[in-house]
Amino acid sequence: KSNSESIMLSSWKEIVQLDFIRHCLQGGFQIQIMTNPTLQAIFSIPSIATNNSNDHYSQLEKRLLLSKNSEASKQAYIDRNKKRRVRNNIKNHFITTDGDDI
């Protein structure tokens, strides 16, 4: 399901194809099914890329803003790791005997 759209599979062939593609793409399946015309043709999905808000970005803007290597993505990674570290320290605080604050 993406953007309130559903994919209805009617044969084992389609189910196996979908499973294989999801396995290969892993986390990128939804964005690919929304933007990739080849996948849309395989599963007879009307093009939903026209509703995608990222269409107005150039290739360079996509790379700078949406890529896993973008600054926003790097900052989100740093923030997520910091939250994990703080959560882990809080969880294990009772183990420390020196009483240092977190």
Side-chain angles (χ1 to χ4, degrees), residues 37-98:
T38 304
L39 289 179
Q40 293 169 356
I42 290 172
F43 294 109
S44 302
I45 300 171
S47 179
I48 35 184
T50 56
N51 298 333
N52 193 352
S53 63
N54 298 331
D55 284 343
H56 64 277
Y57 292 132
S58 69
Q59 282 296 106
L60 178 61
E61 289 171 326
K62 285 181 185 178
R63 192 176 321 130
L64 292 174
L65 300 173
L66 304 175
S67 150
K68 289 182 180 180
N69 294 328
S70 69
E71 287 300 317
S73 179
K74 289 178 184 178
Q75 188 60 44
Y77 175 79
I78 291 169
D79 293 344
R80 185 173 51 247
N81 282 344
K82 182 178 178 183
K83 287 179 184 177
R84 285 179 185 156
R85 193 170 44 251
V86 167
R87 208 172 41 236
N88 197 25
N89 288 341
I90 290 170
K91 184 171 68 172
N92 296 325
H93 183 66
F94 72 94
I95 295 174
T96 61
T97 56
D98 56 5

